[in-house]
Amino acid sequence: MEKTTERKKKSIFQRVLDDKRAIRQCIQKGGDVKKVAEERGIRFATPL
């Protein structure tokens, strides 16, 4: 028997909102933003 997990696809807009919420909570609580970005696969733009 094979176990298959089905994931419900989220819209890209909902995922962006969830990521923004997680980043904001991290900043407010004084957490490590780089760690949150790595966990969620977020890449930040770097200034030139």
Side-chain angles (χ1 to χ4, degrees), residues 5-32:
T5 57
E6 291 184 25
R7 289 188 176 178
K8 193 173 187 180
K9 286 191 174 186
K10 284 187 177 180
S11 72
I12 187 73
F13 303 110
Q14 187 64 38
R15 190 170 30 171
V16 168
L17 290 175
D18 290 342
D19 290 344
K20 285 177 67 173
R21 189 175 299 119
I23 292 168
R24 183 163 188 240
Q25 286 178 352
C26 179
I27 291 170
Q28 286 179 343
K29 293 180 181 180
D32 187 13

PDB file of all heavy atoms in Angstrom, residues 5-32:
ATOM      1  N   THR A   5       0.023  11.717   0.153  1.00  0.00           N
ATOM      2  CA  THR A   5      -0.555  12.864   0.844  1.00  0.00           C
ATOM      3  C   THR A   5      -1.001  13.861  -0.201  1.00  0.00           C
ATOM      4  O   THR A   5      -0.265  14.181  -1.132  1.00  0.00           O
ATOM      5  CB  THR A   5       0.457  13.528   1.794  1.00  0.00           C
ATOM      6  OG1 THR A   5       1.592  13.896   1.049  1.00  0.00           O
ATOM      7  CG2 THR A   5       0.870  12.562   2.896  1.00  0.00           C
ATOM      8  N   GLU A   6      -2.197  14.300  -0.044  1.00  0.00           N
ATOM      9  CA  GLU A   6      -2.726  15.280  -0.986  1.00  0.00           C
ATOM     10  C   GLU A   6      -2.686  16.647  -0.331  1.00  0.00           C
ATOM     11  O   GLU A   6      -3.195  16.827   0.772  1.00  0.00           O
ATOM     12  CB  GLU A   6      -4.159  14.924  -1.365  1.00  0.00           C
ATOM     13  CG  GLU A   6      -4.237  13.672  -2.191  1.00  0.00           C
ATOM     14  CD  GLU A   6      -5.657  13.395  -2.636  1.00  0.00           C
ATOM     15  OE1 GLU A   6      -6.439  14.358  -2.728  1.00  0.00           O
ATOM     16  OE2 GLU A   6      -5.962  12.226  -2.886  1.00  0.00           O
ATOM     17  N   ARG A   7      -2.065  17.564  -0.997  1.00  0.00           N
ATOM     18  CA  ARG A   7      -2.006  18.941  -0.510  1.00  0.00           C
ATOM     19  C   ARG A   7      -2.962  19.792  -1.304  1.00  0.00           C
ATOM     20  O   ARG A   7      -3.019  19.688  -2.522  1.00  0.00           O
ATOM     21  CB  ARG A   7      -0.602  19.521  -0.649  1.00  0.00           C
ATOM     22  CG  ARG A   7       0.380  18.930   0.301  1.00  0.00           C
ATOM     23  CD  ARG A   7       1.664  19.689   0.225  1.00  0.00           C
ATOM     24  NE  ARG A   7       2.608  19.184   1.203  1.00  0.00           N
ATOM     25  CZ  ARG A   7       3.818  19.625   1.348  1.00  0.00           C
ATOM     26  NH1 ARG A   7       4.255  20.574   0.555  1.00  0.00           N
ATOM     27  NH2 ARG A   7       4.599  19.141   2.261  1.00  0.00           N
ATOM     28  N   LYS A   8      -3.685  20.595  -0.589  1.00  0.00           N
ATOM     29  CA  LYS A   8      -4.594  21.511  -1.251  1.00  0.00           C
ATOM     30  C   LYS A   8      -3.775  22.700  -1.739  1.00  0.00           C
ATOM     31  O   LYS A   8      -3.030  23.300  -0.969  1.00  0.00           O
ATOM     32  CB  LYS A   8      -5.660  21.962  -0.265  1.00  0.00           C
ATOM     33  CG  LYS A   8      -6.817  22.645  -0.891  1.00  0.00           C
ATOM     34  CD  LYS A   8      -7.899  22.902   0.135  1.00  0.00           C
ATOM     35  CE  LYS A   8      -9.127  23.428  -0.538  1.00  0.00           C
ATOM     36  NZ  LYS A   8     -10.194  23.688   0.421  1.00  0.00           N
ATOM     37  N   LYS A   9      -3.879  23.022  -3.010  1.00  0.00           N
ATOM     38  CA  LYS A   9      -3.100  24.124  -3.561  1.00  0.00           C
ATOM     39  C   LYS A   9      -3.645  25.450  -3.071  1.00  0.00           C
ATOM     40  O   LYS A   9      -4.849  25.680  -3.102  1.00  0.00           O
ATOM     41  CB  LYS A   9      -3.134  24.105  -5.086  1.00  0.00           C
ATOM     42  CG  LYS A   9      -2.296  23.024  -5.687  1.00  0.00           C
ATOM     43  CD  LYS A   9      -2.170  23.232  -7.163  1.00  0.00           C
ATOM     44  CE  LYS A   9      -1.209  22.238  -7.773  1.00  0.00           C
ATOM     45  NZ  LYS A   9      -0.971  22.515  -9.173  1.00  0.00           N
ATOM     46  N   LYS A  10      -2.726  26.299  -2.590  1.00  0.00           N
ATOM     47  CA  LYS A  10      -3.094  27.648  -2.199  1.00  0.00           C
ATOM     48  C   LYS A  10      -2.845  28.566  -3.381  1.00  0.00           C
ATOM     49  O   LYS A  10      -1.951  28.322  -4.185  1.00  0.00           O
ATOM     50  CB  LYS A  10      -2.219  28.144  -1.045  1.00  0.00           C
ATOM     51  CG  LYS A  10      -2.548  27.574   0.291  1.00  0.00           C
ATOM     52  CD  LYS A  10      -1.722  28.279   1.342  1.00  0.00           C
ATOM     53  CE  LYS A  10      -2.036  27.806   2.721  1.00  0.00           C
ATOM     54  NZ  LYS A  10      -1.228  28.502   3.722  1.00  0.00           N
ATOM     55  N   SER A  11      -3.616  29.602  -3.449  1.00  0.00           N
ATOM     56  CA  SER A  11      -3.358  30.568  -4.504  1.00  0.00           C
ATOM     57  C   SER A  11      -2.073  31.317  -4.159  1.00  0.00           C
ATOM     58  O   SER A  11      -1.675  31.410  -2.997  1.00  0.00           O
ATOM     59  CB  SER A  11      -4.524  31.545  -4.645  1.00  0.00           C
ATOM     60  OG  SER A  11      -4.548  32.432  -3.552  1.00  0.00           O
ATOM     61  N   ILE A  12      -1.435  31.844  -5.157  1.00  0.00           N
ATOM     62  CA  ILE A  12      -0.178  32.567  -4.959  1.00  0.00           C
ATOM     63  C   ILE A  12      -0.391  33.787  -4.081  1.00  0.00           C
ATOM     64  O   ILE A  12       0.449  34.129  -3.260  1.00  0.00           O
ATOM     65  CB  ILE A  12       0.472  32.942  -6.315  1.00  0.00           C
ATOM     66  CG1 ILE A  12       1.859  33.544  -6.124  1.00  0.00           C
ATOM     67  CG2 ILE A  12      -0.402  33.914  -7.077  1.00  0.00           C
ATOM     68  CD1 ILE A  12       2.891  32.564  -5.741  1.00  0.00           C
ATOM     69  N   PHE A  13      -1.549  34.400  -4.200  1.00  0.00           N
ATOM     70  CA  PHE A  13      -1.833  35.587  -3.403  1.00  0.00           C
ATOM     71  C   PHE A  13      -1.985  35.240  -1.926  1.00  0.00           C
ATOM     72  O   PHE A  13      -1.500  35.966  -1.060  1.00  0.00           O
ATOM     73  CB  PHE A  13      -3.089  36.287  -3.920  1.00  0.00           C
ATOM     74  CG  PHE A  13      -2.987  36.674  -5.357  1.00  0.00           C
ATOM     75  CD1 PHE A  13      -3.745  36.037  -6.318  1.00  0.00           C
ATOM     76  CD2 PHE A  13      -2.087  37.653  -5.761  1.00  0.00           C
ATOM     77  CE1 PHE A  13      -3.640  36.387  -7.648  1.00  0.00           C
ATOM     78  CE2 PHE A  13      -1.962  38.009  -7.091  1.00  0.00           C
ATOM     79  CZ  PHE A  13      -2.738  37.380  -8.040  1.00  0.00           C
ATOM     80  N   GLN A  14      -2.618  34.124  -1.628  1.00  0.00           N
ATOM     81  CA  GLN A  14      -2.770  33.699  -0.237  1.00  0.00           C
ATOM     82  C   GLN A  14      -1.417  33.342   0.362  1.00  0.00           C
ATOM     83  O   GLN A  14      -1.141  33.649   1.513  1.00  0.00           O
ATOM     84  CB  GLN A  14      -3.725  32.502  -0.156  1.00  0.00           C
ATOM     85  CG  GLN A  14      -4.061  32.100   1.253  1.00  0.00           C
ATOM     86  CD  GLN A  14      -4.817  33.170   1.996  1.00  0.00           C
ATOM     87  OE1 GLN A  14      -5.660  33.845   1.423  1.00  0.00           O
ATOM     88  NE2 GLN A  14      -4.528  33.347   3.251  1.00  0.00           N
ATOM     89  N   ARG A  15      -0.551  32.711  -0.437  1.00  0.00           N
ATOM     90  CA  ARG A  15       0.780  32.350   0.054  1.00  0.00           C
ATOM     91  C   ARG A  15       1.605  33.597   0.344  1.00  0.00           C
ATOM     92  O   ARG A  15       2.329  33.653   1.348  1.00  0.00           O
ATOM     93  CB  ARG A  15       1.482  31.477  -0.979  1.00  0.00           C
ATOM     94  CG  ARG A  15       2.740  30.864  -0.453  1.00  0.00           C
ATOM     95  CD  ARG A  15       3.305  29.818  -1.358  1.00  0.00           C
ATOM     96  NE  ARG A  15       2.993  30.065  -2.760  1.00  0.00           N
ATOM     97  CZ  ARG A  15       3.517  29.392  -3.764  1.00  0.00           C
ATOM     98  NH1 ARG A  15       4.356  28.430  -3.535  1.00  0.00           N
ATOM     99  NH2 ARG A  15       3.193  29.682  -5.000  1.00  0.00           N
ATOM    100  N   VAL A  16       1.505  34.615  -0.504  1.00  0.00           N
ATOM    101  CA  VAL A  16       2.231  35.864  -0.293  1.00  0.00           C
ATOM    102  C   VAL A  16       1.761  36.534   0.996  1.00  0.00           C
ATOM    103  O   VAL A  16       2.572  37.019   1.786  1.00  0.00           O
ATOM    104  CB  VAL A  16       2.064  36.812  -1.505  1.00  0.00           C
ATOM    105  CG1 VAL A  16       2.563  38.201  -1.186  1.00  0.00           C
ATOM    106  CG2 VAL A  16       2.786  36.253  -2.702  1.00  0.00           C
ATOM    107  N   LEU A  17       0.454  36.545   1.210  1.00  0.00           N
ATOM    108  CA  LEU A  17      -0.084  37.143   2.433  1.00  0.00           C
ATOM    109  C   LEU A  17       0.384  36.390   3.676  1.00  0.00           C
ATOM    110  O   LEU A  17       0.726  37.005   4.693  1.00  0.00           O
ATOM    111  CB  LEU A  17      -1.612  37.187   2.389  1.00  0.00           C
ATOM    112  CG  LEU A  17      -2.219  38.177   1.408  1.00  0.00           C
ATOM    113  CD1 LEU A  17      -3.726  38.026   1.381  1.00  0.00           C
ATOM    114  CD2 LEU A  17      -1.834  39.595   1.772  1.00  0.00           C
ATOM    115  N   ASP A  18       0.422  35.064   3.612  1.00  0.00           N
ATOM    116  CA  ASP A  18       0.911  34.273   4.737  1.00  0.00           C
ATOM    117  C   ASP A  18       2.388  34.554   5.008  1.00  0.00           C
ATOM    118  O   ASP A  18       2.807  34.647   6.165  1.00  0.00           O
ATOM    119  CB  ASP A  18       0.708  32.784   4.470  1.00  0.00           C
ATOM    120  CG  ASP A  18      -0.752  32.384   4.500  1.00  0.00           C
ATOM    121  OD1 ASP A  18      -1.576  33.139   5.052  1.00  0.00           O
ATOM    122  OD2 ASP A  18      -1.066  31.295   3.963  1.00  0.00           O
ATOM    123  N   ASP A  19       3.180  34.696   3.942  1.00  0.00           N
ATOM    124  CA  ASP A  19       4.607  34.994   4.104  1.00  0.00           C
ATOM    125  C   ASP A  19       4.805  36.367   4.727  1.00  0.00           C
ATOM    126  O   ASP A  19       5.639  36.539   5.622  1.00  0.00           O
ATOM    127  CB  ASP A  19       5.330  34.932   2.758  1.00  0.00           C
ATOM    128  CG  ASP A  19       5.441  33.506   2.222  1.00  0.00           C
ATOM    129  OD1 ASP A  19       5.235  32.551   3.003  1.00  0.00           O
ATOM    130  OD2 ASP A  19       5.731  33.362   1.024  1.00  0.00           O
ATOM    131  N   LYS A  20       4.029  37.348   4.268  1.00  0.00           N
ATOM    132  CA  LYS A  20       4.138  38.696   4.830  1.00  0.00           C
ATOM    133  C   LYS A  20       3.784  38.693   6.314  1.00  0.00           C
ATOM    134  O   LYS A  20       4.439  39.351   7.120  1.00  0.00           O
ATOM    135  CB  LYS A  20       3.226  39.663   4.076  1.00  0.00           C
ATOM    136  CG  LYS A  20       3.747  40.061   2.719  1.00  0.00           C
ATOM    137  CD  LYS A  20       2.784  40.945   1.980  1.00  0.00           C
ATOM    138  CE  LYS A  20       2.646  42.286   2.663  1.00  0.00           C
ATOM    139  NZ  LYS A  20       1.838  43.245   1.896  1.00  0.00           N
ATOM    140  N   ARG A  21       2.757  37.957   6.663  1.00  0.00           N
ATOM    141  CA  ARG A  21       2.327  37.875   8.059  1.00  0.00           C
ATOM    142  C   ARG A  21       3.421  37.243   8.919  1.00  0.00           C
ATOM    143  O   ARG A  21       3.716  37.706  10.026  1.00  0.00           O
ATOM    144  CB  ARG A  21       1.035  37.070   8.157  1.00  0.00           C
ATOM    145  CG  ARG A  21       0.390  37.097   9.507  1.00  0.00           C
ATOM    146  CD  ARG A  21      -0.953  36.375   9.527  1.00  0.00           C
ATOM    147  NE  ARG A  21      -1.897  36.993   8.610  1.00  0.00           N
ATOM    148  CZ  ARG A  21      -2.457  36.379   7.567  1.00  0.00           C
ATOM    149  NH1 ARG A  21      -2.164  35.121   7.304  1.00  0.00           N
ATOM    150  NH2 ARG A  21      -3.310  37.006   6.793  1.00  0.00           N
ATOM    151  N   ALA A  22       4.053  36.190   8.421  1.00  0.00           N
ATOM    152  CA  ALA A  22       5.112  35.507   9.162  1.00  0.00           C
ATOM    153  C   ALA A  22       6.321  36.414   9.344  1.00  0.00           C
ATOM    154  O   ALA A  22       6.927  36.449  10.427  1.00  0.00           O
ATOM    155  CB  ALA A  22       5.513  34.229   8.434  1.00  0.00           C
ATOM    156  N   ILE A  23       6.680  37.166   8.308  1.00  0.00           N
ATOM    157  CA  ILE A  23       7.817  38.082   8.403  1.00  0.00           C
ATOM    158  C   ILE A  23       7.524  39.185   9.417  1.00  0.00           C
ATOM    159  O   ILE A  23       8.367  39.536  10.241  1.00  0.00           O
ATOM    160  CB  ILE A  23       8.149  38.678   7.021  1.00  0.00           C
ATOM    161  CG1 ILE A  23       8.696  37.593   6.102  1.00  0.00           C
ATOM    162  CG2 ILE A  23       9.158  39.810   7.142  1.00  0.00           C
ATOM    163  CD1 ILE A  23       8.782  37.998   4.659  1.00  0.00           C
ATOM    164  N   ARG A  24       6.315  39.716   9.364  1.00  0.00           N
ATOM    165  CA  ARG A  24       5.940  40.792  10.286  1.00  0.00           C
ATOM    166  C   ARG A  24       5.965  40.311  11.738  1.00  0.00           C
ATOM    167  O   ARG A  24       6.484  40.995  12.625  1.00  0.00           O
ATOM    168  CB  ARG A  24       4.556  41.317   9.929  1.00  0.00           C
ATOM    169  CG  ARG A  24       4.146  42.469  10.786  1.00  0.00           C
ATOM    170  CD  ARG A  24       2.988  43.218  10.170  1.00  0.00           C
ATOM    171  NE  ARG A  24       2.774  44.414  10.957  1.00  0.00           N
ATOM    172  CZ  ARG A  24       1.642  44.698  11.586  1.00  0.00           C
ATOM    173  NH1 ARG A  24       0.612  43.916  11.458  1.00  0.00           N
ATOM    174  NH2 ARG A  24       1.534  45.781  12.308  1.00  0.00           N
ATOM    175  N   GLN A  25       5.444  39.132  11.998  1.00  0.00           N
ATOM    176  CA  GLN A  25       5.461  38.582  13.353  1.00  0.00           C
ATOM    177  C   GLN A  25       6.888  38.355  13.826  1.00  0.00           C
ATOM    178  O   GLN A  25       7.215  38.609  14.985  1.00  0.00           O
ATOM    179  CB  GLN A  25       4.687  37.273  13.406  1.00  0.00           C
ATOM    180  CG  GLN A  25       3.197  37.438  13.349  1.00  0.00           C
ATOM    181  CD  GLN A  25       2.466  36.106  13.349  1.00  0.00           C
ATOM    182  OE1 GLN A  25       3.088  35.048  13.252  1.00  0.00           O
ATOM    183  NE2 GLN A  25       1.145  36.169  13.439  1.00  0.00           N
ATOM    184  N   CYS A  26       7.733  37.895  12.942  1.00  0.00           N
ATOM    185  CA  CYS A  26       9.129  37.655  13.286  1.00  0.00           C
ATOM    186  C   CYS A  26       9.820  38.948  13.674  1.00  0.00           C
ATOM    187  O   CYS A  26      10.547  39.003  14.661  1.00  0.00           O
ATOM    188  CB  CYS A  26       9.842  36.997  12.112  1.00  0.00           C
ATOM    189  SG  CYS A  26      11.576  36.667  12.403  1.00  0.00           S
ATOM    190  N   ILE A  27       9.587  40.015  12.910  1.00  0.00           N
ATOM    191  CA  ILE A  27      10.208  41.303  13.206  1.00  0.00           C
ATOM    192  C   ILE A  27       9.698  41.853  14.533  1.00  0.00           C
ATOM    193  O   ILE A  27      10.474  42.354  15.353  1.00  0.00           O
ATOM    194  CB  ILE A  27       9.947  42.297  12.058  1.00  0.00           C
ATOM    195  CG1 ILE A  27      10.723  41.864  10.816  1.00  0.00           C
ATOM    196  CG2 ILE A  27      10.340  43.711  12.456  1.00  0.00           C
ATOM    197  CD1 ILE A  27      10.365  42.621   9.564  1.00  0.00           C
ATOM    198  N   GLN A  28       8.394  41.735  14.782  1.00  0.00           N
ATOM    199  CA  GLN A  28       7.818  42.254  16.015  1.00  0.00           C
ATOM    200  C   GLN A  28       8.329  41.511  17.240  1.00  0.00           C
ATOM    201  O   GLN A  28       8.518  42.107  18.298  1.00  0.00           O
ATOM    202  CB  GLN A  28       6.295  42.179  15.970  1.00  0.00           C
ATOM    203  CG  GLN A  28       5.667  43.205  15.063  1.00  0.00           C
ATOM    204  CD  GLN A  28       4.152  43.093  15.016  1.00  0.00           C
ATOM    205  OE1 GLN A  28       3.583  42.076  15.399  1.00  0.00           O
ATOM    206  NE2 GLN A  28       3.515  44.149  14.528  1.00  0.00           N
ATOM    207  N   LYS A  29       8.562  40.220  17.114  1.00  0.00           N
ATOM    208  CA  LYS A  29       9.024  39.421  18.252  1.00  0.00           C
ATOM    209  C   LYS A  29      10.541  39.386  18.373  1.00  0.00           C
ATOM    210  O   LYS A  29      11.073  38.795  19.301  1.00  0.00           O
ATOM    211  CB  LYS A  29       8.484  37.999  18.141  1.00  0.00           C
ATOM    212  CG  LYS A  29       6.987  37.930  18.302  1.00  0.00           C
ATOM    213  CD  LYS A  29       6.482  36.516  18.190  1.00  0.00           C
ATOM    214  CE  LYS A  29       4.971  36.476  18.333  1.00  0.00           C
ATOM    215  NZ  LYS A  29       4.457  35.112  18.216  1.00  0.00           N
ATOM    216  N   GLY A  30      11.239  40.000  17.419  1.00  0.00           N
ATOM    217  CA  GLY A  30      12.698  40.042  17.476  1.00  0.00           C
ATOM    218  C   GLY A  30      13.348  38.748  17.041  1.00  0.00           C
ATOM    219  O   GLY A  30      14.438  38.414  17.495  1.00  0.00           O
ATOM    220  N   GLY A  31      12.712  38.024  16.143  1.00  0.00           N
ATOM    221  CA  GLY A  31      13.251  36.759  15.656  1.00  0.00           C
ATOM    222  C   GLY A  31      14.256  36.957  14.532  1.00  0.00           C
ATOM    223  O   GLY A  31      14.612  38.086  14.171  1.00  0.00           O
ATOM    224  N   ASP A  32      14.705  35.858  13.981  1.00  0.00           N
ATOM    225  CA  ASP A  32      15.679  35.875  12.893  1.00  0.00           C
ATOM    226  C   ASP A  32      14.941  35.827  11.556  1.00  0.00           C
ATOM    227  O   ASP A  32      14.377  34.800  11.185  1.00  0.00           O
ATOM    228  CB  ASP A  32      16.614  34.682  13.029  1.00  0.00           C
ATOM    229  CG  ASP A  32      17.754  34.726  12.045  1.00  0.00           C
ATOM    230  OD1 ASP A  32      17.979  35.796  11.422  1.00  0.00           O
ATOM    231  OD2 ASP A  32      18.439  33.701  11.883  1.00  0.00           O
TER     232      ASP A  32
END
